[in-house]
Amino acid sequence: MDIYTDDTTWPATGAPSFPTSFIAGMSSHNVAILPTLLLIGQLTTPQIARGVSLSEFWAWVRYVYAVSSDSDLRITADFANLDSHQKTILSDDFGMGIPIGYLVGTLGLVSWSDGRYFMDRMSALMHGPLPVPRKRGPRKAPDFVFMDHAGALHVVECKGGQSGPDARDRQLSSTTSKGEPTGGVVQKRMVLLPAHLQGQRLACGLSIGVSGKLGPSDLKIVDPEFNPEFDLSEADDSVIGDPVMRSGLAKSLRGAGFPATAAAVAAPSGPSARAKSIEASPAFLRASRRRVIDQRNAAARAELGAAGAVSFMIGDTKLVGREVTMVLPVPLTIDGETYRRAIIRQGVPPDLLGMVMEIGLVEGALPSLGRQKEGIGGIKLIAEGARGELRIGGSFASEIILEKSAGPAGTEVPSA
């Protein structure tokens, strides 16, 4: 896949400077499909959700059929001809997973928070509430806030589409009917972070090519300037890392099959991440709020202590989580090999559960919880033939294995 990084959009002086790990102008990037699908699954996993089934979490497995057999990244004509709603979902998911898969390696990213969750949680931690981000337009929260190995925070907005580079460029930057700037370049500039923690502020636009048609897939990365909507430049170091830490833990726990614990970690003071601490509420409400939180934390501890989680190994790492073997609805052919079944595992290390039990359910800011665990090795996408693996430091790992047999697990048949 081609990548065009427009270095002219970075400030001529001051921060952020153009990253030394980026290549100005045109470059290329090999997309590892299977681990990218796993990454899409984690990027789209909510920190707090109720009534979500295992099959809904892994609905993104269907995208394995969307990628064509071309030598460059393209989607098949069948998926390009989906109705507009389904095409939009695919474009949005690929528009997140593929750019982030590139940034993971180039920026040394270790963990992340959804942009809206980041703003909601910061609102809970700040002395005064922050305005609620809109779901679209100039005041929409950016897609993600990432942390790198050094603790710097990178604000990233992602766009994806199948209508060509011109449409992609309009997604990145355009104006409303009222003449207001909109698009990814506005949303990613919405949050101003403390100067010593401010990393890159990026808008990434993916134009997705279709098999049999002119025009390849290509990614454009820019950093234009707009005035920030929300100023967090004076936020204390003790709280600014909390949303990323909690989000990373919650997503890992939810992916491993611990939804009650994930919700308690993500929103420690109430039903949503915006809920302020119990001590900040009127005295007559504190006892009732405390009872609700105590009940929820008790449910989380019971969930962590239950015997329902599966133990397994990914590589040389012991994990607890969940594992599913599914027969593919249609045989899948990749590089001349036909696969009929997929095995999917995702889990967390057992000692992470102990750490969450000990200190992960407290109300206060968690500036360091998870940093050591998540920072080891950063985020890695690993492709090994018919196997893909995603690792998020020492806190989470998942893998998808394609098998040629649809019989009992572990059985194989020779390829045709």
Side-chain angles (χ1 to χ4, degrees):
M1 177 187 70
D2 291 333
I3 298 176
Y4 174 60
T5 307
D6 188 354
D7 60 318
T8 66
T9 61
W10 265 257
T13 59
S17 59
F18 187 75
T20 57
S21 56
F22 280 11
I23 298 175
M26 295 298 298
S27 61
S28 62
H29 172 64
N30 291 325
V31 179
I33 297 300
L34 290 180
T36 297
L37 296 181
L38 295 171
L39 178 61
I40 289 172
Q42 278 300 100
L43 290 171
T44 56
T45 293
Q47 294 90 353
I48 306 171
R50 295 166 180 85
V52 180
S53 74
L54 194 63
S55 62
E56 286 171 305
F57 267 113
W58 289 338
W60 40 266
V61 170
R62 70 185 182 275
Y63 290 147
V64 76
Y65 294 99
V67 181
S68 75
S69 59
D70 294 277
S71 59
D72 61 333
L73 177 68
R74 295 173 183 266
I75 61 170
T76 64
D78 289 342
F79 273 78
N81 290 327
L82 291 171
D83 67 78
S84 58
H85 175 69
Q86 296 295 329
K87 285 180 66 174
T88 299
I89 296 173
L90 183 150
S91 297
D92 287 347
D93 286 349
F94 275 49
M96 288 187 294
I98 291 172
I100 297 305
Y102 169 72
L103 295 177
V104 158
T106 53
L107 293 179
L109 306 178
V110 300
S111 191
W112 75 90
S113 168
D114 301 341
R116 188 177 181 88
Y117 174 84
F118 184 89
M119 297 302 298
D120 285 346
R121 181 62 186 152
M122 285 303 298
S123 181
L125 293 169
M126 302 287 281
H127 292 300
L130 297 172
V132 179
R134 296 175 183 172
K135 293 186 177 181
R136 58 180 57 87
R139 293 181 67 86
K140 171 188 173 293
D143 285 328
F144 305 106
V145 177
F146 281 87
M147 180 180 288
D148 68 17
H149 286 286
L153 299 173
H154 306 269
V155 179
V156 181
E157 177 70 15
C158 299
K159 303 291 183 182
Q162 302 170 37
S163 301
D166 290 343
R168 182 266 317 281
D169 291 347
R170 289 193 296 272
Q171 279 188 304
L172 285 177
S173 181
S174 59
T175 56
T176 67
S177 59
K178 297 180 180 179
E180 298 173 336
T182 187
V185 297
V186 178
Q187 291 153 14
K188 65 90 192 174
R189 281 288 293 141
M190 191 179 115
V191 184
L192 183 62
L193 298 167
H196 66 289
L197 296 177
Q198 178 70 69
Q200 296 299 316
R201 298 185 291 257
L202 305 174
C204 306
L206 177 68
S207 176
I208 305 172
V210 178
S211 182
K213 293 189 177 181
L214 294 176
S217 296
D218 68 86
L219 173 64
K220 184 176 182 179
I221 302 175
V222 298
D223 177 22
E225 294 300 314
F226 278 97
N227 291 327
E229 293 284 344
F230 297 135
D231 188 349
L232 300 179
S233 60
E234 301 300 320
D236 193 90
D237 283 5
S238 64
V239 301
I240 196 72
D242 174 271
V244 178
M245 295 299 104
R246 287 190 180 275
S247 175
L249 282 171
K251 283 176 173 282
S252 296
L253 290 165
R254 178 163 289 281
F258 301 100
T261 310
V265 168
S269 300
S272 77
R274 290 185 72 87
K276 288 190 173 291
S277 69
I278 292 174
E279 293 304 313
S281 60
F284 71 93
L285 291 177
R286 292 173 190 169
S288 60
R289 286 191 64 194
R290 172 54 61 195
R291 283 194 296 272
V292 172
I293 297 303
D294 287 346
Q295 290 172 359
R296 191 179 65 176
N297 288 349
R301 291 188 176 93
E303 179 182 70
L304 292 176
V310 178
S311 295
F312 50 83
M313 301 287 291
I314 295 182
D316 58 358
T317 305
K318 182 180 179 180
L319 301 164
V320 292
R322 46 189 179 174
E323 175 180 354
V324 162
T325 299
M326 61 178 70
V327 176
L328 297 174
V330 178
L332 175 68
T333 299
I334 302 175
D335 295 333
E337 302 285 352
T338 299
Y339 302 93
R340 295 175 172 83
R341 183 176 60 198
I343 300 173
I344 305 154
R345 303 183 181 100
Q346 46 193 51
V348 296
D351 64 333
L352 182 72
L353 302 183
M355 185 175 67
V356 172
M357 287 273 280
E358 182 180 354
I359 55 177
L361 302 180
V362 300
E363 273 197 90
L366 302 178
S368 60
L369 175 61
R371 187 186 297 256
Q372 179 182 3
K373 296 288 296 182
E374 296 194 32
I376 300 173
I379 303 172
K380 291 185 177 180
L381 282 70
I382 303 167
E384 298 173 339
R387 175 182 173 273
E389 179 181 337
L390 169 68
R391 285 188 177 266
I392 303 176
S395 70
F396 179 83
S398 63
E399 69 175 352
I400 179 171
I401 302 171
L402 301 178
E403 292 193 337
K404 299 172 186 177
S405 170
T411 61
E412 285 291 325
V413 297
S415 60

